[in-house]
Amino acid sequence: MTLLIKNGTVVDPGKMTVKKNDVLIEDRVITKIGKNIEQEADQIIDATDCYVMPGFVDLHVHLRDPGFEYKETVDTGAKSAARGGFTTILAMPNTKPVADNEEIIKYIENKARDLAPIKVRQIGAITKGQKGRELADIEGMVKAGSPAISEDGKSVKDSSIYVAGLREAARCNIPVFAHCEDKELAAGGVMNSGETARKLNLPGIPNAAEDVIIARDIVLAKEAGARLHICHVATAMGIDLIDWAKRKGWQVSGEVCPHHFTLCDEDITEDNAAFKMNPPLRSRHDLEAVRKGIADDVIDVIATDHAPHSQEEKGGSMMGSAFGIVGLETAAALTYTELVKKDVITIEKMAAKMSLNPAKIIGLNRGKVQKGEIADLVVFNPNVEWTIDPKNFASKGKSTPFGGRKVYGRVINTIFSGKIVYEYAPQII
């Protein structure tokens, strides 16, 4: 199988270069990059006016499989990811049963191998059943293919058990992905504490609920010699804490989500469950701090925290509705619109934070557009203006605060292992 991408602008975060070039792919591998490549090919993509970038890698996705297939499945989630330009995604373990053993890790990876158009990897839980009382079989899950462990959806409350998990992760040479939340401080809250919450008469979640656990986890990871990845950072202090740890040379990385660098609590004008996520949309001060953290490379990764729910679970008031929104099909456009077009970061940095950096964190050899590399690529047209319409999502989840929002940048093709797995078809979008 030979695939030739013509007339594109190649963005390689590995060398931080942006050059107009053709790309030739033969048998899964990039074999030539250069001007005016003339060679017969089984398929040709005309990438005029488009960027040719490494396929995106999402470290933070909820596929809800097994146990909550009415929300999402490996199949629908992976198809949603392919439409968003992602070629590798990591599934969080808060499923039913919890992904806390090698059998479930193998189940997801085998199912994905059969059904998914892209690579799906399953993260293992830190404790059995995510109950926080006894460590899961971390070594067994790693041997089965798990690239990281996480208690996502909650934090391990018992610090002694958490340290044991961190040490085991260090021994197995995998990172720990930390959802940082003090449940007692956040209890009952549905949005950010502040003036908007008071106006809407809704209970708030203080920044401290996030910040105190970020601080704790950083200190405990240093104690254990573990690599720590802080998920979905949403507060100014969270950014400062990660910056502080990095300046000390500690093994800490951080991710943010498009909703946290695009919206703040001032954008919530009514009690609408589409705006309910965890962590919540914070203040404008926090939003600006998050953007600065991205620009200054305190934040390494842009992830989605794609969290689908049924329409019944996300209808009506924030009170009683589920936390979480979907994001796989909007992340690239929001990142380009809010960060690249507004000169917060360059297109090379977008590629680094959505491809190269997340791949590095899990030891995955992806994220470069270079000769000899596996051809996981995305063709992205930055000039296409479109309106987000959740009815057209491939995901089962439709809840997003971005419905009706105009954005720039459309994924035209997603290429996984040298094969086109998604092609934009305007007539069905």
Side-chain angles (χ1 to χ4, degrees), residues 186-255:
V190 297
M191 64 173 294
N192 183 55
S193 292
E195 184 60 30
T196 302
R198 287 189 286 274
K199 285 180 180 178
L200 296 176
N201 195 30
L202 292 170
I205 301 172
N207 282 29
E210 187 175 345
D211 296 335
V212 295
I213 303 298
I214 292 178
R216 182 202 72 156
D217 284 12
I218 288 172
V219 171
L220 294 183
K222 172 61 169 62
E223 173 72 17
R227 288 185 286 135
L228 183 70
H229 179 70
I230 307 294
C231 297
H232 47 44
V233 183
T235 68
M237 184 175 287
I239 301 293
D240 288 343
L241 287 165
I242 294 170
D243 186 36
W244 172 78
K246 285 188 168 189
R247 289 177 187 277
K248 286 184 168 292
W250 297 358
Q251 300 179 91
V252 176
S253 58
E255 77 180 27

Side-chain angles (χ1 to χ4, degrees), residues 26-342:
E26 298 175 286
D27 297 326
R28 303 175 59 239
V29 176
I30 298 171
T31 56
K32 189 182 294 185
I33 299 175
K35 302 285 187 185
N36 303 315
I37 296 174
E38 297 296 335
Q39 183 166 331
E40 289 189 8
D42 298 304
Q43 291 180 287
I44 297 175
I45 294 174
D46 182 2
T48 301
D49 298 327
C50 295
Y51 292 118
V52 180
M53 308 164 71
F56 305 136
V57 177
D58 195 341
L59 299 182
H60 196 152
V61 173
H62 298 269
L63 294 181
R64 309 303 192 196
D65 191 348
F68 301 103
E69 289 89 349
Y70 69 94
K71 300 175 189 269
E72 192 78 286
T73 65
V74 168
D75 183 22
T76 59
K79 286 177 179 174
S80 175
R83 286 174 61 133
F86 293 92
T87 51
T88 300
I89 59 175
L90 272 61
M92 284 295 178
N94 53 341
T95 50
K96 186 178 182 181
V98 169
D100 61 1
N101 61 76
E102 61 182 286
E103 286 76 19
I104 297 180
I105 304 299
K106 289 177 180 176
Y107 161 79
I108 291 297
E109 300 222 351
N110 289 337
K111 188 172 184 178
R113 193 176 300 116
D114 292 338
L115 297 175
I118 61 168
K119 182 66 174 178
V120 176
R121 302 191 68 185
Q122 179 62 53
I123 296 171
I126 299 174
T127 67
K128 290 183 178 180
Q130 290 191 312
K131 294 179 180 178
R133 294 194 289 267
E134 183 180 358
L135 285 187
D137 178 14
I138 294 169
E139 182 178 8
M141 292 188 292
V142 172
K143 288 180 178 177
S146 183
I149 56 171
S150 180
E151 207 83 340
D152 193 64
K154 60 180 75 175
S155 298
V156 179
K157 187 174 180 180
D158 188 319
S159 293
S160 64
I161 292 174
Y162 190 41
V163 167
L166 287 161
R167 286 182 175 141
E168 182 67 359
R171 189 181 71 81
C172 294
N173 194 29
I174 59 165
V176 175
F177 289 7
H179 171 111
C180 296
E181 180 186 14
D182 185 312
K183 287 287 188 182
E184 281 69 34
L185 286 176
V190 297
M191 64 173 294
N192 183 55
S193 292
E195 184 60 30
T196 302
R198 287 189 286 274
K199 285 180 180 178
L200 296 176
N201 195 30
L202 292 170
I205 301 172
N207 282 29
E210 187 175 345
D211 296 335
V212 295
I213 303 298
I214 292 178
R216 182 202 72 156
D217 284 12
I218 288 172
V219 171
L220 294 183
K222 172 61 169 62
E223 173 72 17
R227 288 185 286 135
L228 183 70
H229 179 70
I230 307 294
C231 297
H232 47 44
V233 183
T235 68
M237 184 175 287
I239 301 293
D240 288 343
L241 287 165
I242 294 170
D243 186 36
W244 172 78
K246 285 188 168 189
R247 289 177 187 277
K248 286 184 168 292
W250 297 358
Q251 300 179 91
V252 176
S253 58
E255 77 180 27
V256 297
C257 304
H259 44 279
H260 289 131
F261 63 67
T262 302
L263 300 171
C264 66
D265 62 355
E266 294 174 17
D267 295 303
I268 305 173
T269 58
E270 60 181 355
D271 180 4
N272 182 346
F275 288 87
K276 185 179 180 181
M277 68 281 292
N278 191 10
L281 300 177
R282 296 294 187 184
S283 69
R284 185 162 298 282
H285 169 71
D286 292 309
L287 181 151
E288 294 301 331
V290 165
R291 287 193 175 208
K292 187 173 188 302
I294 297 169
D296 293 345
D297 292 327
V298 175
I299 293 299
D300 310 270
V301 170
I302 293 170
T304 66
D305 192 10
H306 176 83
H309 295 285
S310 69
Q311 290 179 300
E312 292 75 20
E313 290 168 321
K314 290 296 289 183
S317 170
M318 290 192 196
M319 297 298 295
S321 66
F323 284 101
I325 62 171
V326 294
L328 285 167
E329 294 169 61
T330 56
L334 287 167
T335 300
Y336 184 80
T337 302
E338 294 299 319
L339 300 183
V340 180
K341 276 186 71 70
K342 295 182 179 180

